[in-house]
Amino acid sequence: QVQLVESGGGQVQAGGSLRLSCTTSQRTFDSYAVGWFRQAPGKEREFVARISWSGFDTDYADSVKARFTISRDNAKNTAYLQMNRLTPEDTAVYYCRSGSYDYMPNYVRENYWGQGTQVTVSS
């Protein structure tokens, strides 16, 4: 796996958009799938989206399907999460991590996470 750093969070009104970034300086970025996760106050961390190492395969949680788009640019060692039509229920700290595409949703059980990036959506 590679260590990733999240950025791009902020405050936005309901219906707005944000794009999160997830990047690394490590050169093996394109060897791994990338997943986005989030944790809202008082709630457990949940899987949001994943993308295969090539970018060919993607998958989303039902709660964000058709509103969020995950993508990656291996030349820039960066993955993105484009979030549209945001709602207050999307308010959370968002995290990304690298690993196995097939196993990605199960990484919610991992204990170690980066600092994440805060997304706050006001009504």
Side-chain angles (χ1 to χ4, degrees):
Q1 298 187 7
V2 295
Q3 299 302 311
L4 300 170
V5 177
E6 306 91 346
S7 64
Q11 287 191 310
V12 65
Q13 289 195 325
S17 299
L18 281 174
R19 188 177 79 157
L20 306 183
S21 298
C22 170
T23 192
T24 180
S25 60
Q26 294 178 260
R27 299 169 75 176
T28 55
F29 175 78
D30 59 3
S31 298
Y32 298 96
V34 173
W36 282 96
F37 301 79
R38 66 186 181 185
Q39 187 166 21
K43 295 187 177 181
E44 293 186 350
R45 186 173 288 114
E46 64 176 349
F47 164 77
V48 174
R50 58 179 165 171
I51 186 167
S52 61
W53 67 269
S54 66
F56 186 77
D57 296 304
T58 59
D59 180 44
Y60 300 89
D62 288 343
S63 59
V64 307
K65 205 169 288 186
R67 299 189 299 123
F68 290 13
T69 302
I70 190 170
S71 62
R72 66 189 296 161
D73 184 341
N74 286 341
K76 296 182 178 179
N77 284 356
T78 302
Y80 304 96
L81 186 68
Q82 177 67 44
M83 306 186 296
N84 298 328
R85 291 186 282 137
L86 286 161
T87 74
E89 288 69 37
D90 295 315
T91 295
V93 178
Y94 284 71
Y95 304 89
C96 63
R97 69 182 309 135
S98 64
S100 160
Y101 180 83
D102 290 339
Y103 193 75
M104 191 64 70
N106 297 295
Y107 287 133
V108 291
R109 304 191 191 103
E110 293 293 313
N111 292 324
Y112 176 77
W113 294 85
Q115 65 181 43
T117 186
Q118 175 71 48
V119 171
T120 302
V121 185
S122 57
S123 57

